């Protein structure tokens, strides 16, 4: 069996639903392979698909965009091409650049369409990601089981994945007969083969949803939600269950009951089998999913042949590097490279889907000598992408062996959902080496040599830094001690951050004359006199020459206090 794009479809797909207090996880298995993971938490639910009555906060003519308050922490971003008023004005199809609208004309200027304080109905197209606010559009679309409501279009469309012209005409005629004339609908791929009665039921349901939106719009003040999406457990049935779904397995009794009710009300026959899991082991452990989640989050992904991928995600793009690793081949180098690249592109697509990686993606393949081999790998990549529901755009393999592609991003990727920046390195991915910190400490002491001269001081550092100071850098420590006239004591403190160190004076020394310009008479500049409350010398337990407001601890990135 093949889908409308020519790719093979799974005949035994399974959907596993793990529902617990505060979190729902859904794993999609295609022909026994774990391909996608969806997570929804009560404290951080996705807002994609939410219809909101928003208020325009700023109009930016220079960007042809506006910021709209929709009730989230950050204002949402609305591009002029994503806006049309309720009468159909201001519509444009492409979201970026100087593009023309669907009517073939240049879209109007944003400042002629919107003004600060104006209330508009919008829908969240992309969740807030990182430092960016949500992306919104006024092209409203509310999904049902078989249809998608498009209230501003006032026409009936059919999914491109439905190939049969006869079926397309039947579906369009059936929906056209029963729809309100002021509402538009798109028939989803799941609507193929659906009876007219089921289509009419979907039309009634979506029409009622839109009527409720209109009623609520007149009752609330912006910003306020008008329609929210179903929970993840129910969206699984609506969006992922199809004729190729063998069964849906859920472990929570309440979710099982809600899904059972949804199936009976909105899903046409043949319905997917819904099973309740009540085993002793957690459902994801029973099906071997939990271990795969942990292993697939790593930076390195091994291929079956012995090669591996390195996946680096950044704010700008995702870079994927292909390496032969332990695979050495049998015949010649070009064949080894070709086989590794062919296996790699299949795994790359699997990782893109599993991790939900979007945006700009660069794949660094192993260099291939012949154009024929590059074409083989390119075709294999395109074929593998047929199973991906997200919209992708891919360019030919360059002479350098690079593939540039984009993948539509609507929500945070899996790493962003499950992980957080490292608190030790503050998300940098590295810390200064122990040797670098050791010599940084010595430079800071030498910088303040005048204050410490003649006094015995102690340096408190991370144990690994102490090893450097007492080992490879001991001559530098001794030389600095000679300059001070006293020995420097090195102390190791377990648990201290590797980049942090402390300098402490262990005894008193001779008074040091210091100038404080802010205490001088501006008319006759001269050294400021000491106040009566200021001690002439520090005690042995005080850090040397520190001000009252200055902390004793310093990191290696901070200059020594003067």
């Amino acid at each position: 069996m093949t889908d409308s794009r020519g790719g093979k479809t799974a005949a035994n797909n399974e959907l596993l639903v793990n529902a617990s207090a505060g979190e729902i996880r859904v794993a999609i298995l295609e022909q026994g392979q774990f391909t996608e993971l969806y997570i929804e938490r009560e404290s951080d639910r996705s807002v994609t698909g939410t219809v909101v009555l928003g208020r325009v906060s700023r109009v930016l003519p220079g960007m042809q965009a506006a910021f709209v308050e929709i009730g989230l922490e950050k204002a949402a971003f609305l591009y002029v091409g994503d806006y049309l008023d309720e009468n159909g004005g201001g519509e444009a199809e492409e979201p970026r650049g100087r593009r023309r609208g669907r009517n073939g004309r240049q879209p109007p200027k944003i400042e002629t369409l919107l003004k600060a304080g104006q209330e508009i109905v919008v829908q969240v197209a992309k969740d807030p990601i990182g430092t960016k606010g949500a992306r919104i559009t006024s092209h409203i679309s509310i999904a049902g089981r078989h249809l998608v409501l498009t209230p501003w279009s006032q026409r009936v469309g059919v999914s491109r994945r439905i190939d049969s012209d006869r079926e397309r005409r039947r579906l369009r005629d059936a929906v056209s007969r029963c729809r309100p004339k002021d509402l538009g609908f798109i028939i989803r791929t799941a609507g193929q083969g659906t009876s007219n009665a089921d289509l009419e039921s979907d039309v009634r349901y979506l029409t009622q949803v839109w009527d409720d939106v209109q009623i609520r719009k007149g009752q609330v003040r912006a910003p306020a939600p008008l329609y929210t999406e179903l929970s993840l457990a129910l969206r699984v049935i609506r969006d992922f269950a199809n004729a190729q779904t063998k069964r849906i397995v859920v472990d929570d009794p309440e979710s099982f009951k809600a899904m059972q009710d949804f199936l009976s009300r909105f899903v046409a026959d043949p319905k997917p089998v819904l099973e309740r899991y009540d085993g002793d082991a957690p459902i994801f452990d029973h099906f071997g999913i939990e271990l795969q989640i942990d292993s697939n989050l790593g930076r390195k992904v091994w291929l079956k042949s012995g090669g591996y991928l390195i996946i680096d995600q950044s704010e700008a793009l995702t870079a994927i590097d292909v390496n032969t690793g332990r695979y050495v081949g049998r015949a010649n180098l070009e064949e080894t490279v070709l086989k590794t690249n062919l296996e790699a592109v299949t795994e790359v697509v699997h990782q893109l889907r599993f991790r939900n990686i979007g945006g700009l993606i660069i794949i660094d393949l192993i260099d291939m000598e012949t154009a024929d081999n590059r074409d083989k790998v390119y075709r294999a990549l395109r074929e593998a992408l047929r199973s991906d529901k997200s919209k992708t755009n891919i360019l030919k393999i360059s002479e350098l062996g690079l593939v540039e592609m984009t993948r539509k991003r609507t929500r945070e990727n899996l790493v962003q959902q499950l992980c957080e920046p490292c608190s030790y390195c503050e998300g940098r991915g590295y810390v200064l080496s122990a040797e670098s910190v050791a010599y940084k400490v010595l430079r800071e002491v030498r910088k303040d040599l005048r204050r410490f001269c003649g006094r015995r001081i102690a340096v408190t550092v991370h144990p690994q830094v102490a090893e450097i100071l007492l080992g490879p850098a001991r001559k530098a420590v001794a030389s600095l001690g000679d300059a001070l006239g006293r020995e420097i004591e090195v102390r190791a403190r377990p648990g201290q951050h590797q980049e942090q160190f402390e300098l402490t004076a262990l005894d008193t020394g001779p008074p040091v004359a210091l100038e404080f310009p802010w205490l001088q008479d501006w008319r006759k500049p001269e050294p400021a006199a000491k106040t009566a409350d200021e001690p002439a010398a520090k005690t042995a337990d005080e850090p040397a020459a520190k001000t009252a407001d200055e902390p004793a601890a310093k990191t290696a990135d901070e200059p020594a206090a003067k």
Side-chain angles (χ1 to χ4, degrees):
M1 182 183 296
T2 60
D3 65 11
S4 61
R5 294 175 293 179
K8 293 182 178 180
T9 58
N12 57 346
N13 296 352
E14 294 179 293
L15 304 176
L16 308 180
V17 182
N18 169 223
S20 59
E23 181 186 62
I24 299 177
R25 299 187 299 171
V26 174
I28 299 179
L29 278 65
E30 295 180 356
Q31 295 182 330
Q33 183 183 21
F34 180 24
T35 57
E36 294 185 37
L37 176 68
Y38 292 84
I39 300 175
E40 182 177 87
R41 289 173 177 154
E42 190 173 327
S43 60
D44 188 28
R45 285 193 63 176
S46 170
V47 293
T48 299
T50 302
V51 179
V52 182
L53 179 63
R55 181 188 300 112
V56 179
S57 58
R58 291 180 64 193
V59 177
L60 307 175
M63 296 182 64
Q64 283 300 293
F67 285 107
V68 182
E69 296 291 342
I70 60 172
L72 300 180
E73 182 180 353
K74 295 181 180 178
F77 183 82
L78 175 65
Y79 178 72
V80 65
D82 292 328
Y83 177 74
L84 75 161
D85 59 33
E86 296 186 15
N87 296 318
E91 181 179 358
E93 184 164 326
E94 297 295 338
R96 293 183 182 273
R98 298 178 62 84
R99 309 292 176 84
R100 296 188 179 274
R102 294 179 183 177
N103 54 14
R105 295 176 297 178
Q106 193 73 27
K109 299 290 187 181
I110 189 74
E111 58 269 29
T112 66
L113 299 173
L114 298 173
K115 60 182 179 180
Q118 181 177 342
E119 294 187 356
I120 56 175
V121 177
V122 294
Q123 185 173 38
V124 180
K126 292 183 181 180
D127 280 332
I129 299 176
T131 59
K132 299 178 181 178
R135 181 75 179 264
I136 57 176
T137 177
S138 66
H139 299 271
I140 308 297
S141 61
I142 300 176
R145 172 59 184 160
H146 310 293
L147 306 174
V148 175
L149 170 67
T150 54
W152 309 137
S153 69
Q154 300 179 6
R155 59 187 177 188
V156 178
V158 183
S159 169
R160 295 178 181 177
R161 298 185 184 182
I162 299 178
D163 288 330
S164 171
D165 290 336
R166 182 177 180 180
E167 177 67 3
R168 293 172 67 89
R169 286 194 300 270
R170 183 190 74 84
L171 293 170
R172 184 180 284 110
D173 292 343
V175 174
S176 297
R177 284 195 299 268
C178 62
R179 74 177 178 94
K181 298 305 179 184
D182 59 339
L183 296 180
F185 292 88
I186 297 174
I187 300 162
R188 306 180 68 183
T189 307
Q192 185 171 7
T194 303
S195 67
N196 291 355
D198 287 328
L199 293 174
E200 291 175 9
S201 176
D202 230 18
V203 168
R204 287 195 299 270
Y205 165 72
L206 291 173
T207 301
Q208 183 61 52
V209 168
W210 185 245
D211 289 343
D212 292 342
V213 167
Q214 296 295 81
I215 293 172
R216 180 164 172 76
K217 177 186 173 184
Q219 297 174 341
V220 298
R221 297 184 61 183
L226 304 178
Y227 166 81
T228 55
E229 271 283 18
L230 300 172
S231 68
L232 179 59
L234 300 184
R235 292 203 309 272
V236 165
I237 299 175
R238 187 191 70 188
D239 298 336
F240 303 122
N242 51 43
Q244 286 74 46
T245 302
K246 177 182 177 182
R247 61 175 179 168
I248 303 172
V249 186
V250 58
D251 61 354
D252 179 61
E254 292 185 8
S255 298
F256 176 79
K257 184 177 180 181
M259 295 172 73
Q260 199 172 39
D261 181 60
F262 189 86
L263 277 171
S264 62
R265 292 178 58 190
F266 299 110
V267 179
D269 293 328
K271 295 179 174 63
V273 176
L274 181 65
E275 296 181 4
R276 165 79 195 288
Y277 175 80
D278 56 1
D280 294 332
I283 183 172
F284 274 24
D285 288 286
H286 176 77
F287 286 92
I289 299 299
E290 205 71 62
L291 185 61
Q292 293 186 59
I293 294 174
D294 296 336
S295 62
N296 276 335
L297 284 176
R299 182 169 175 259
K300 178 182 285 189
V301 178
W302 287 99
L303 305 176
K304 292 181 179 179
S305 65
Y308 62 89
L309 308 177
I310 296 293
I311 303 176
D312 286 319
Q313 295 178 243
S314 67
E315 183 75 15
L317 54 82
T318 298
I320 303 177
D321 186 35
V322 181
N323 299 276
T324 54
R326 296 191 294 259
Y327 180 60
V328 295
R330 294 182 179 180
N332 56 63
L333 176 61
E334 186 70 8
E335 182 180 331
T336 301
V337 169
L338 175 61
K339 183 175 180 180
T340 303
N341 283 337
L342 288 173
E343 184 183 11
V345 293
T346 303
E347 182 61 30
V348 163
V349 174
H350 174 252
Q351 291 296 324
L352 294 181
R353 295 181 62 191
F354 175 79
R355 300 176 187 233
N356 190 37
I357 296 174
L360 179 60
I361 301 162
I362 305 295
I363 306 172
D364 184 8
L365 298 168
I366 306 172
D367 291 340
M368 292 170 283
E369 296 291 338
T370 66
D372 287 343
N373 286 345
R374 286 195 291 270
D375 288 339
K376 287 180 182 178
V377 174
Y378 176 76
R379 289 195 299 270
L381 177 58
R382 290 194 66 88
E383 182 65 26
L385 285 170
R386 291 180 182 273
S387 61
D388 190 4
K389 291 183 178 180
S390 295
K391 183 179 179 181
T392 56
N393 182 31
I394 176 174
L395 301 182
K396 284 277 190 177
I397 301 175
S398 71
E399 293 294 331
L400 298 176
L402 300 178
V403 176
E404 299 173 61
M405 64 174 291
T406 59
R407 185 172 185 267
K408 186 176 181 180
R409 174 168 50 195
T410 59
R411 57 190 173 92
E412 289 185 319
N413 62 56
L414 200 60
V415 172
Q416 290 172 320
Q417 275 192 300
L418 298 181
C419 307
E420 62 183 16
C422 172
S423 59
Y424 196 85
C425 70
E426 298 179 346
R428 292 178 296 173
Y430 59 85
V431 294
L432 286 174
S433 66
E435 188 173 19
S436 297
V437 175
Y439 285 104
K440 177 75 171 178
V441 171
L442 297 180
R443 287 194 298 271
E444 293 296 334
V445 174
R446 189 172 295 279
K447 188 187 300 183
D448 289 342
L449 194 60
R450 184 183 177 191
R451 300 183 184 187
F452 297 129
C453 192
R455 307 177 73 176
R456 190 163 62 92
I457 65 172
V459 179
T460 305
V461 293
H462 186 275
Q464 292 184 1
V465 178
E467 288 182 12
I468 300 296
L469 292 172
L470 297 174
R474 63 182 181 277
K475 290 184 179 180
V477 174
S479 174
L480 186 58
D482 292 341
L484 284 172
R486 302 293 294 271
E487 183 180 357
I488 298 175
E489 181 179 332
V490 178
R491 298 175 177 177
R493 178 184 293 168
Q496 181 160 314
H497 194 286
Q498 183 164 304
E499 294 183 344
Q500 190 178 51
F501 60 89
E502 293 179 6
L503 302 178
T504 308
L506 301 178
D507 59 7
T508 59
V512 179
L514 298 176
E515 294 184 357
F516 298 94
W518 58 88
L519 295 178
Q520 295 177 1
D521 185 350
W522 65 274
R523 295 178 180 176
K524 295 180 179 180
E526 59 184 16
K530 299 288 184 179
T531 64
D533 296 332
E534 186 174 1
K538 300 293 183 181
T539 63
D541 294 331
E542 289 182 78
K546 300 288 183 180
T547 66
D549 297 331
E550 185 177 5
K554 300 190 299 179
T555 66
D557 293 333
E558 295 177 328
K562 296 295 182 183

